[in-house]
Amino acid sequence: MYLATTGRRDTPAPPRSGGAGRRVPGTVLALGTVSLVTDVSSEMVTAVLPLYLVLGLGLSPLQFGFLDGLFNGAAAIVRLLGGYAADHGRGHKRVAGLGYALSALSRIGLLLAGGATAGIAAALATDRVGKGIRTAPRDALITLSSPPEALGRSFGVHRAMDTTGALLGPLAAFALLWATADAYDAVFVVSFCVGLLGVLLLVLYVPAHQPAPPPLIPAPRRRKAFGALRDPAFRRILSAASLLGAATVGDAFVYLLLQQRLDLPVSWFPLLPLGAAACYLLLAIPAGRIADRVGRRLPFLYGHLALLGVYATLLAPLGGPALLLLVPVLALLGVFYATTDGVLMALAGPVLPADGRAGGLAVLQTGQALARMLAAAGFGAAWTLWGAGPALWAALSALLVALVGGWALLPRNPVDAPAPGKPGTQIPERRTP
C-alpha cells in the first residue's frame, strides 16, 4: 500500500506515472555497458558478412537465407538451455558470462580459420551460440532489477547502449582496415581484446543476485524450461510474436535489396546498417517510456506497421535521388526495432515468475527466432524462384495477415503497464492450490 500525501515533510512524494521519474537501476546500466562493448567487438567482424557471402563467395539468395537462418535457429535453440541453466540456482550472471566469453573466443577462431569457409562458419556459429546463451539470462537480470512499471524504460536504455556498440563496431573496423592497409587479422585481434573487456566488465560490475520485484501477475513457482507455456497470457504473447516473426524477412535481405535497387558501390554496403542503428538509438528510450505509459501491446503492433512500411517503400517505383528510398527504409527499420525489441521483453517479463523468468524469456525468444529463421529461408527461396519483387510482395502480404493475427492474439487488458497516475499498481494475487 502506498502512503497518501498529507503535507508531512517526511512523506515521500509519489513517483510520476509510468516510472518516468525513477532512476535507471545500476544493474541495467552495467549490463548496457557490457552489451555496448560486446557489440563493438561483434559488429567489427559481421558488418560485411552478407556482402562477403553473397557477392564474395557467390552464394545464391536461397543459400544465404538458409545459412543465415540456420545460424540464428541454432542460437535460438541454445537460448532454451541458457534460460533453464540460469533459472536453476539463479545463475543468471554465470550463464550470461559464459555466453559473452564464447563470443569473444570466436574472434580467435576467425583468426585461426584463415580463408577456410568451414573455419569461418564454425567461428560464426560459436559467436551465435554465445549470443544465444547470454540473451535470456541478461534480459532476465534486467527484469529482476527493475520495477515492473518501468521495464519499458529499462529495456530502452539497455537497447540504446547496445545499439551504440552496433554503431561504433563497423566504424572501428573501417578505421582499422584503413590504418593497417586491409589487414583483417588486426580487426580480429582487436575484436577479441574488446570482447574480453566486455567479459571483465560483467564480472566486476554486474551483481550476481538480483532482488525480485513483485510480478504484476503472480504465478506459481515452476522452474521447468517450458513451464511458462502453462500461462494463457504468455501463450498468447508467444503466439503473436512467433506469427509476426514468420513475416519478418531479416535485415540482411533488406540491405541486399537496397543495394540492388540503388546499385550502390560495394564499399558503401557495410555502412547501411548504421542508418537503422542510429534511428534505433535515438528512439529506443522514448519508445520504452511511451510503452510504460500506454501499455506495451500497441507499440509492439505499431512497430510492425513500420516494418510494413519498409516493404512498401522497397516496392515503390524508384524516382529521383537515392536518398528518397534510402532514408525512409533505414528510418522505418530503426523505428521497427525501437518499438518491438525491448518492448516485447517488457511485455512478457511481468507475466513470468521470478524463478522461471530466464527460461520463459528464452522460450519466447526461441519461438520468435525460429519463426524468423523460416521467414529468411522462405524469402530466400521465393527470391531465387520468382525474383525480388514477387518475393517482397509475398512478404508484405504475409505481414498484413500476421498483423491481424497479432492484434487478435495479444491480450487487450492493460496488464503490462500500471494505470495512469497509479505507479506500481498491482493486480490482485491469484490463489493457487
Side-chain angles (χ1 to χ4, degrees):
M1 178 179 294
Y2 287 88
L3 295 174
T5 304
T6 58
R8 294 171 50 190
R9 294 180 180 269
D10 58 341
T11 302
R16 287 177 286 178
S17 67
R22 297 180 182 271
R23 296 175 58 188
V24 177
T27 298
V28 175
L29 295 176
L31 287 169
T33 303
V34 172
S35 294
L36 187 157
V37 172
T38 302
D39 252 29
V40 170
S41 172
S42 62
E43 293 300 325
M44 286 178 68
V45 296
T46 59
V48 299
L49 184 62
L51 187 69
Y52 173 70
L53 292 178
V54 174
L55 299 183
L57 298 183
L59 270 64
S60 70
L62 173 60
Q63 292 171 315
F64 172 72
F66 177 79
L67 185 61
D68 185 63
L70 181 63
F71 280 158
N72 288 325
I77 294 174
V78 171
R79 285 177 187 173
L80 294 175
L81 300 177
Y84 177 78
D87 284 334
H88 187 70
R90 296 184 63 80
H92 301 84
K93 178 180 176 178
R94 292 194 300 273
V95 176
L98 173 62
Y100 283 111
L102 281 175
S103 292
L105 291 174
S106 71
R107 315 295 180 241
I108 295 298
L110 286 171
L111 185 65
L112 298 176
T117 303
I120 293 174
L124 293 175
T126 302
D127 177 58
R128 299 294 177 90
V129 168
K131 183 176 181 179
I133 290 175
R134 71 179 183 250
T135 301
R138 180 202 65 199
D139 286 350
L141 282 172
I142 294 174
T143 67
L144 293 171
S145 62
S146 305
E149 69 274 8
L151 277 176
R153 185 185 185 195
S154 292
F155 274 104
V157 169
H158 175 268
R159 295 310 197 252
M161 298 178 74
D162 182 85
T163 307
T164 301
L167 278 169
L168 296 177
L171 296 177
F174 279 104
L176 272 174
L177 290 175
W178 177 80
T180 59
D182 293 342
Y184 287 92
D185 288 355
V187 175
F188 298 152
V189 170
V190 172
S191 175
F192 169 69
C193 294
V194 175
L196 283 185
L197 175 61
V199 176
L200 182 62
L201 290 173
L202 177 79
V203 172
L204 293 178
Y205 295 107
V206 175
H209 300 287
Q210 298 298 321
L216 290 180
I217 302 182
R221 293 170 60 87
R222 48 180 179 264
R223 294 190 180 185
K224 294 183 179 180
F226 295 96
L229 295 176
R230 301 174 188 172
D231 191 302
F234 179 80
R235 287 201 304 269
R236 292 168 72 92
I237 295 172
L238 172 63
S239 299
S242 300
L243 180 62
L244 289 163
T248 304
V249 302
D251 300 353
F253 280 119
V254 171
Y255 301 141
L256 287 171
L257 287 166
L258 271 177
Q259 195 272 339
Q260 183 187 75
R261 286 286 308 275
L262 299 177
D263 196 23
L264 291 175
V266 171
S267 59
W268 287 92
F269 182 86
L271 300 179
L272 289 177
L274 300 184
C279 186
Y280 185 6
L281 173 62
L282 291 174
L283 296 178
I285 296 176
R289 296 182 66 174
I290 290 172
D292 285 337
R293 290 180 178 274
V294 305
R296 291 140 197 166
R297 173 179 179 266
L298 288 179
F300 181 70
L301 291 171
Y302 290 159
H304 285 84
L305 283 177
L307 182 62
L308 193 71
V310 171
Y311 298 168
T313 304
L314 286 170
L315 286 167
L318 180 60
L323 289 178
L324 292 180
L325 177 65
L326 187 64
V327 172
V329 168
L330 296 182
L332 287 169
L333 194 61
V335 171
F336 164 65
Y337 280 111
T339 53
T340 58
D341 186 14
V343 171
L344 177 61
M345 298 299 103
L347 175 64
V351 307
L352 295 167
D355 61 352
R357 191 156 301 177
L361 292 180
V363 170
L364 176 61
Q365 293 163 355
T366 299
Q368 185 184 51
L370 289 177
R372 289 181 174 179
M373 177 188 71
L374 294 176
F379 185 80
W383 188 348
T384 301
L385 296 174
W386 305 334
L392 201 52
W393 274 112
L396 186 147
S397 302
L399 184 54
L400 277 174
V401 174
L403 272 168
V404 174
W407 183 274
L409 283 169
L410 284 178
R412 285 178 169 78
N413 295 328
V415 300
D416 55 293
K422 297 181 180 180
T425 300
Q426 299 291 317
I427 293 177
E429 183 176 356
R430 294 187 302 191
R431 299 292 182 182
T432 56

